[in-house]
C-alpha cells in the first residue's frame, strides 16, 4: 500500500490569489479595518496562521474565539470569491490523479494541507478535483504543519486499520520547505515541485527527496512512487 499526501495551493492548483478577497472580507468583518493585502506573504502558512498574522497586523489580539470567527467568515466567503480570478489546475495534476485512480488501487491519494477542511473542499470543488481524494488532514488550529502531518498519518491508519502503513511507502507532494518538513515529521519522502514560490534548487537545498520543476507524466510519477524504501530518487 502506497499513500501520497498532496498539498493544495502551489502544488495542485493556483487560485491566482482569489482567496485574498475572502481574507479581506474576514478582516473587515472581524476587525472593522481594511488592510493592504498586496504584499501579504502567506506561502506555506496554514489558514489559521494566516488569520493570526492578519489579526496582529490589524492590531487585534488573536484570541482563539477571534481566530475562529475570522476563519468562519473566510470559509463562508471563499466559494463566491474563487471565480473572481482565473486560477488553474497545474500541468499533470488531472492526468496523474486519474491514472492512479484507474490503474493503481494500491496507491491512495490523501490531502495534507494548511487549508481548513471547508476551504480545501471549496477549492477542490471549484477546480474539479474533489473526486480524487480519500480524506486527509487540514488546518484546525494555530499549530504547526508538522501537527497536520501527524494527523494525516493517523487519518490513514484509521481509514485502513488492517493495512501496514510503512513510512517508506508514504510520500508528500508539495511546493514549499514546509511540505518537506511535514514529510520529515512522518518519515515520508517529499516530492517537491517548483510550481509555487520556490525553485527546484531551493527545494533541493531544503532536503527534498526529489525536486522537480513540475509534475511529470503519469507513468513517470508511477515509477517515482514505486521506488523502494531507502533508495535514492530516480534520475529523470
Amino acid at each position: 500500500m502506497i499513500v501520497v499526501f498532496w498539498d493544495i495551493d502551489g502544488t495542485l492548483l493556483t487560485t491566482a490569489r482569489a482567496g485574498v478577497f475572502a481574507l479581506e472580507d474576514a478582516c473587515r468583518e472581524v476587525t472593522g479595518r481594511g488592510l493592504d493585502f498586496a504584499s501579504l506573504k502567506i506561502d506555506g502558512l496554514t489558514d489559521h496562521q494566516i488569520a493570526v498574522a492578519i489579526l496582529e497586523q490589524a492590531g487585534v489580539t488573536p484570541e482563539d474565539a477571534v481566530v475562529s470567527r475570522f476563519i468562519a467568515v473566510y470559509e463562508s466567503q471563499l466559494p463566491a470569491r474563487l471565480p473572481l480570478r482565473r486560477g488553474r489546475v497545474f500541468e499533470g495534476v488531472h492526468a496523474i490523479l486519474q491514472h492512479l485512480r484507474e490503474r493503481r488501487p494500491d496507491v491512495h491519494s490523501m490531502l495534507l494541507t494548511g487549508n481548513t477542511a471547508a476551504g480545501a473542499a471549496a477549492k477542490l470543488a471549484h477546480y474539479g478535483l474533489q473526486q480524487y481524494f480519500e480524506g486527509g488532514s487540514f488546518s484546525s488550529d494555530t499549530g504547526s504543519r508538522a501537527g497536520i502531518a501527524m494527523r494525516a498519518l493517523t487519518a490513514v491508519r484509521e481509514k485502513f486499520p488492517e493495512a501496514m502503513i510503512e513510512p517508506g511507502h508514504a510520500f508528500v507532494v508539495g511546493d514549499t520547505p514546509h511540505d518537506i518538513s511535514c514529510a520529515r515529521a512522518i518519515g515520508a519522502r517529499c516530492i517537491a515541485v517548483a510550481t509555487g514560490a520556490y525553485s527546484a534548487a531551493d527545494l533541493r537545498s531544503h532536503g527534498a527527496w526529489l525536486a522537480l520543476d513540475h509534475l511529470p507524466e503519469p507513468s513517470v510519477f508511477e515509477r517515482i512512487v514505486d521506488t523502494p524504501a531507502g533508495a535514492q530518487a530516480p534520475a529523470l
Side-chain angles (χ1 to χ4, degrees), residues 18-210:
V20 170
F21 296 126
L23 293 173
E24 290 173 340
D25 294 335
C27 183
R28 281 192 295 270
E29 182 163 331
V30 174
T31 74
R33 295 187 58 187
L35 300 178
D36 179 10
F37 283 69
S39 60
L40 184 65
K41 183 71 172 175
I42 60 177
D43 296 306
L45 296 182
T46 71
D47 281 351
H48 283 76
Q49 290 169 344
I50 292 169
V52 168
I54 292 171
L55 290 168
E56 290 177 340
Q57 188 173 333
V60 175
T61 302
E63 297 176 348
D64 289 347
V66 180
V67 173
S68 294
R69 184 182 168 208
F70 185 103
I71 291 294
V73 176
Y74 165 75
E75 290 175 332
S76 69
Q77 295 298 313
L78 185 60
R81 295 306 192 182
L82 289 172
L84 299 182
R85 288 280 178 87
R86 187 174 293 179
R88 63 187 176 92
V89 177
F90 288 124
E91 176 185 354
V93 169
H94 273 294
I96 288 172
L97 293 173
Q98 187 71 19
H99 179 90
L100 295 178
R101 187 170 69 166
E102 291 179 351
R103 303 189 184 186
R104 291 297 301 267
D106 60 316
V107 179
H108 299 269
S109 291
M110 309 284 287
L111 294 166
L112 197 173
T113 174
N115 285 265
T116 66
K123 291 177 183 180
L124 295 178
H126 182 72
Y127 292 100
L129 295 174
Q130 71 275 23
Q131 70 272 22
Y132 295 115
F133 300 98
E134 302 177 56
S137 185
F138 310 90
S139 176
S140 58
D141 54 40
T142 57
S144 69
R145 292 280 291 244
I148 299 175
M150 295 304 296
R151 292 198 299 273
L153 193 58
T154 298
V156 171
R157 287 172 172 159
E158 290 176 349
K159 185 174 181 65
F160 304 102
E162 298 180 359
M164 183 68 71
I165 311 300
E166 299 289 348
H169 295 158
F171 297 84
V172 173
V173 185
D175 67 295
T176 75
H178 298 278
D179 300 301
I180 299 170
S181 298
C182 280
R184 190 176 296 122
I186 59 174
R189 290 176 278 184
C190 185
I191 302 167
V193 288
T195 43
Y198 295 87
S199 69
D202 290 334
L203 296 166
R204 198 172 294 111
S205 71
H206 280 88
W209 176 71
L210 179 63

Side-chain angles (χ1 to χ4, degrees), residues 3-23:
V3 181
V4 183
F5 294 106
W6 296 84
D7 174 51
I8 295 179
D9 297 289
T11 301
L12 294 174
L13 58 86
T14 174
T15 67
R17 292 177 66 85
V20 170
F21 296 126
L23 293 173

